C-alpha cells in the first residue's frame, strides 16, 4: 500500500515571517490528520524557521530545489548536503526550473543522484507542454524525461514522481482525473522498465496542476494517483487543510 503524499510547493512566495504565520495557521489541523503524509516546501530562506515549528509535528519539510555538488564555488546555490539535516524531501525538475532556468533532464539527473546520495527523497517532476499534449506526444515526452532524469539510478527507494502537465500548472485548468490516472499508469510502466517492478509498484506518483479543495477528490480517487503536488492552493491555510483532510478520508492508510 502506497501512503498518499500531499505536498505544498510555495514557490517564491512568503517572506520568512509570512511563512511562519502560514505554518502556524495550518499546523494544528494538519497534525490532527493521519493516514497521509503531508509535506511543506517553503522557500530556502524559511526552511530553518519552519523546521523549528515542525519539530514535534508529523508534517514534513522539503526544499524546492538543490544543486548537484556538495560544496564549493557555486555562488547562490544550495547543496543536498546542506539540506539533508533540515529536510526529508526535495522537489527536482519542476517545470518552472526547466523552462525559466534552462534545467535539462541531464542536469536534473545529476541533482536526483546527488539528492539520493545525501539521503533526501527526490520528488522528480515530469510533464508535457500544451503543444506536446495537443500533438499527441505526452507519452514520448514524459518517457524521455523519465529515462534521462533517472539514467544510471538503480537504487530509487523513497523516490517520488510528480506528473505535472505544464499546461495545468498555475492555470486553473487541471487535467481530468481519468486523464491524469492513465498518464500516471504509463509512468509506472516506464518506471518498471527503469528501476524494476517492485520499486515501481512502491513508488508514489503524484498529480500536480491546479489542484484545489474542489477537485482533489477527483484525483485521489484514482487507483494510480498517490497524492498531489499543490502550488497556489497550498498558500491558503483552510484550503490546503481541506485538501489534506479529503485525501486522508478517501485514501488514507497507515
Ligand atoms: C506546482 O507548483 O507544482 C503546481 C502544480 O502549481 P499549481 O497547483 O498552482 O498549479
Amino acid at each position: 500500500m502506497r501512503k498518499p503524499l500531499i505536498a505544498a510547493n510555495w514557490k517564491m512566495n512568503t517572506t520568512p515571517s509570512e511563512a511562519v504565520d502560514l505554518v502556524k495557521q495550518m499546523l494544528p489541523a494538519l497534525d490532527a490528520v493521519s493516514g497521509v503524509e503531508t509535506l511543506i516546501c517553503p522557500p530556502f530562506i524559511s526552511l530553518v524557521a519552519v523546521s523549528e515549528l515542525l519539530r514535534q509535528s508529523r508534517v514534513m519539510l522539503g526544499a524546492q530545489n538543490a544543486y548537484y555538488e556538495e560544496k564549493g564555488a557555486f555562488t547562490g546555490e544550495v547543496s543536498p548536503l546542506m539540506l539533508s539535516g533540515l529536510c526529508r524531501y526535495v522537489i527536482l525538475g519542476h517545470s518552472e526550473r526547466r523552462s525559466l532556468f534552462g534545467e535539462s533532464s541531464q542536469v536534473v539527473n545529476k541533482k536526483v543522484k546527488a539528492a539520493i546520495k545525501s539521503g533526501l527523497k527526490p520528488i522528480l517532476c515530469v510533464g508535457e507542454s500544451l503543444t506536446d499534449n495537443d500533438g499527441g506526444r505526452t507519452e514520448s515526452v514524459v518517457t524521455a524525461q523519465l529515462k534521462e532524469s533517472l539514467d544510471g539510478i538503480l537504487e530509487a527507494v523513497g523516490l517520488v514522481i510528480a506528473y505535472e502537465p505544464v499546461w495545468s500548472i498555475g492555470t486553473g485548468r487541471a487535467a481530468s482525473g481519468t486523464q491524469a490516472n492513465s498518464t500516471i499508469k504509463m509512468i509506472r510502466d516506464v518506471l518498471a522498465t527503469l528501476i524494476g517492478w517492485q520499486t515501481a509498484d512502491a513508488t508514489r506518483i503524484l498529480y500536480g496542476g491546479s489542484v484545489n479543495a474542489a477537485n482533489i477528490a477527483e484525483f485521489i480517487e484514482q487507483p494510480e494517483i498517490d497524492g498531489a503536488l499543490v502550488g497556489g492552493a497550498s498558500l491558503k491555510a483552510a484550503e490546503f487543510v481541506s485538501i489534506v483532510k479529503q485525501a486522508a478520508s478517501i485514501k488514507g492508510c497507515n
Side-chain angles (χ1 to χ4, degrees):
M1 194 77 184
R2 300 181 294 262
K3 190 170 187 171
L5 172 63
I6 304 293
N9 175 16
W10 288 359
K11 312 193 186 197
M12 198 177 73
N13 293 297
T14 67
T15 64
S17 65
E18 287 168 348
V20 164
D21 285 349
L22 189 51
V23 171
K24 283 183 177 166
Q25 285 173 47
M26 299 176 172
L27 200 52
L30 293 180
D31 254 341
V33 181
S34 60
V36 293
E37 281 189 33
T38 308
L39 172 68
I40 295 177
C41 303
F44 281 134
I45 194 168
S46 298
L47 284 173
V48 172
V50 172
S51 78
E52 295 294 319
L53 294 175
L54 300 186
R55 192 169 288 184
Q56 308 295 336
S57 153
R58 65 170 109 209
V59 177
M60 287 171 302
L61 185 62
Q64 298 174 19
N65 183 29
Y67 195 52
Y68 51 77
E69 296 287 354
E70 276 189 1
K71 59 182 172 180
F74 305 103
T75 302
E77 293 295 328
V78 175
S79 78
L81 182 66
M82 293 169 180
L83 295 170
S84 60
L86 278 176
C87 298
R88 204 72 79 76
Y89 287 88
V90 59
I91 298 170
L92 294 173
H94 191 281
S95 73
E96 286 151 17
R97 300 238 32 111
R98 291 177 189 262
S99 66
L100 301 174
F101 302 99
E103 271 186 25
S104 63
S105 286
Q106 285 72 24
V107 168
V108 175
N109 176 246
K110 289 185 186 184
K111 292 185 169 195
V112 172
K113 286 175 175 161
I116 291 173
K117 187 175 165 214
S118 288
L120 292 170
K121 295 180 181 178
I123 300 178
L124 168 64
C125 301
V126 294
E128 80 289 357
S129 67
L130 186 58
T131 321
D132 286 329
N133 185 278
D134 288 346
R137 292 183 293 275
T138 298
E139 181 164 349
S140 60
V141 167
V142 170
T143 299
Q145 287 173 338
L146 286 167
K147 284 187 172 162
E148 288 161 14
S149 305
L150 295 174
D151 186 41
I153 295 170
L154 302 171
E155 259 307 297
V157 177
L159 173 74
V160 175
I161 305 289
Y163 167 58
E164 300 205 303
V166 178
W167 45 271
S168 73
I169 298 177
T171 58
R173 185 186 157 195
S176 72
T178 47
Q179 239 177 338
N181 190 67
S182 75
T183 304
I184 286 177
K185 165 89 178 75
M186 179 277 290
I187 289 173
R188 202 178 301 286
D189 291 344
V190 174
L191 273 185
T193 67
L194 300 175
I195 56 175
W197 267 113
Q198 247 181 333
T199 314
D201 193 45
T203 298
R204 287 170 300 178
I205 310 181
L206 317 181
Y207 167 75
S210 298
V211 169
N212 56 40
N215 65 19
I216 181 65
E218 179 183 347
F219 296 106
I220 204 76
E221 276 164 7
Q222 302 291 332
E224 294 292 334
I225 301 182
D226 304 315
L229 181 53
V230 186
S234 71
L235 289 161
K236 298 172 203 149
E239 179 146 26
F240 187 62
V241 167
S242 168
I243 291 170
V244 171
K245 281 186 176 167
Q246 290 183 61
S249 80
I250 294 169
K251 216 184 230 176
C253 66
N254 283 304

